[in-house]
Amino acid sequence: MVKLSSADELQLLANKLSDHIGSGDQAHLSVDFDHAGFMTPDHLMALFHSNGREKQLPATPTDVFSLSAGHFYSENLLNAPATNGQGVWIIDVSKPAWTGQMYMLRNIANGEIWYQVRHTDKNGNTDSRATSGWTKIETAFPLWEGDFSDINTTVNLADQRAKFRLIRVAIMTGGGINSVETFQNSDEFTLSAGQVTSNAYGAYMYQANLRLQGLTGHLVVNRSVQLTADGIKPYTDLIHIKKIEGII
């Protein structure tokens, strides 16, 4: 028997280990999504799912209401809400005991969030109080916040106006009017406000046109008048823009 040196014995063990690791799926590989090892790929994915990672659904259309409780993602869903473009859906399904189901869908492409509750009793009867169909959760993104009233002022927006379904604008006047107006998306919006005078018969009327183009915004018009028993005359107070938000 040939006695090996310690260095040779270590090298022999290293060679055997290298051969074992490289010998295919029957050996103890380092586990990944393509090879079985101490843990199979299915076991690894199950571990990821238990930690909250979404499961990819098949490329063929999947009925969202056929899904069991869990977290999923898909580009091809049946019975999903109508949206501006498809993209990838993140789907969360909750089914607590016999109390029904809640489906929460988030669209990665446009950021829309939808949910639907199908509430049933233990006999499978639908709760008449539960709403029917998909409900959209409106999400507001701040585009600008501050204070401006001068038509020569240009403000920088945090994102493109055209991305949003609605535009919401908060205004204020020196006379104490505070209001919020919501508009269908456009490049120009007419803001108006009115206030009855407290000490006489009369009123103050305000109007401003806000234009949003690209990543900037400015007032095209900002004016006010005072209505009195003697007629109409210009007024010094103006509308102040306080906040601009985009809503999806």
Side-chain angles (χ1 to χ4, degrees):
M1 180 177 180
V2 178
K3 184 175 180 58
L4 299 176
S5 66
S6 297
D8 291 337
E9 288 181 347
L10 289 174
Q11 185 60 52
L12 181 61
L13 288 173
N15 292 341
K16 288 182 177 180
L17 179 61
S18 178
D19 291 341
H20 182 63
I21 291 176
S23 60
D25 281 356
Q26 299 306 312
H28 298 304
L29 299 173
S30 297
V31 67
D32 58 26
F33 293 115
D34 300 313
H35 302 91
F38 291 104
M39 182 184 292
T40 67
D42 288 342
H43 290 158
L44 181 61
M45 288 305 300
L47 176 62
F48 283 167
H49 297 157
S50 69
N51 288 330
R53 180 166 177 168
E54 293 83 5
K55 179 180 180 180
Q56 184 176 11
L57 296 176
T60 53
T62 300
D63 187 343
V64 64
F65 300 123
S66 70
L67 295 172
S68 58
H71 311 290
F72 312 90
Y73 69 95
S74 174
E75 293 186 71
N76 201 350
L77 281 181
L78 295 177
N79 292 316
T83 185
N84 181 22
Q86 290 303 310
V88 177
W89 288 103
I90 301 294
I91 309 117
D92 295 310
V93 183
S94 301
K95 294 189 176 183
W98 46 261
T99 58
Q101 307 86 36
M102 172 176 274
Y103 303 88
M104 181 75 72
L105 271 63
R106 292 167 289 160
N107 193 290
I108 292 179
N110 55 30
E112 292 182 357
I113 304 173
W114 298 77
Y115 76 93
Q116 183 171 160
V117 176
R118 293 191 166 189
H119 191 268
T120 54
D121 62 22
K122 59 185 177 182
N123 297 317
N125 300 314
T126 300
D127 191 332
S128 61
R129 297 170 298 177
T131 57
S132 301
W134 291 102
T135 299
K136 186 176 184 180
I137 299 176
E138 288 193 342
T139 305
F141 292 83
L143 297 178
W144 179 86
E145 186 169 2
D147 187 314
F148 80 99
S149 59
D150 194 302
I151 60 173
N152 295 314
T153 299
T154 297
V155 298
N156 296 317
L157 305 177
D159 208 340
Q160 297 279 350
R161 168 199 57 79
K163 293 182 180 180
F164 302 96
R165 183 173 58 92
L166 302 171
I167 298 295
R168 187 162 63 197
V169 183
I171 66 172
M172 184 183 74
T173 70
I177 297 175
N178 290 276
S179 65
V180 176
E181 297 188 54
T182 302
F183 304 90
Q184 292 292 330
N185 200 334
S186 177
D187 60 359
E188 190 168 319
F189 314 94
T190 299
L191 305 157
S192 58
Q195 185 178 30
V196 176
T197 57
S198 58
N199 55 359
Y201 292 104
Y204 303 109
M205 303 300 295
Y206 302 83
Q207 179 187 326
N209 284 24
L210 175 64
R211 182 172 296 168
L212 304 180
Q213 294 177 311
L215 290 172
T216 63
H218 67 279
L219 288 166
V220 181
V221 172
N222 196 4
R223 58 194 173 192
S224 64
V225 295
Q226 182 178 7
L227 309 180
T228 69
D230 298 326
I232 302 174
K233 61 181 180 180
Y235 189 52
T236 55
D237 191 21
L238 296 172
I239 284 177
H240 290 246
I241 308 299
K242 302 297 292 182
K243 181 185 287 188
I244 304 171
E245 296 175 304
I247 299 174
I248 60 170

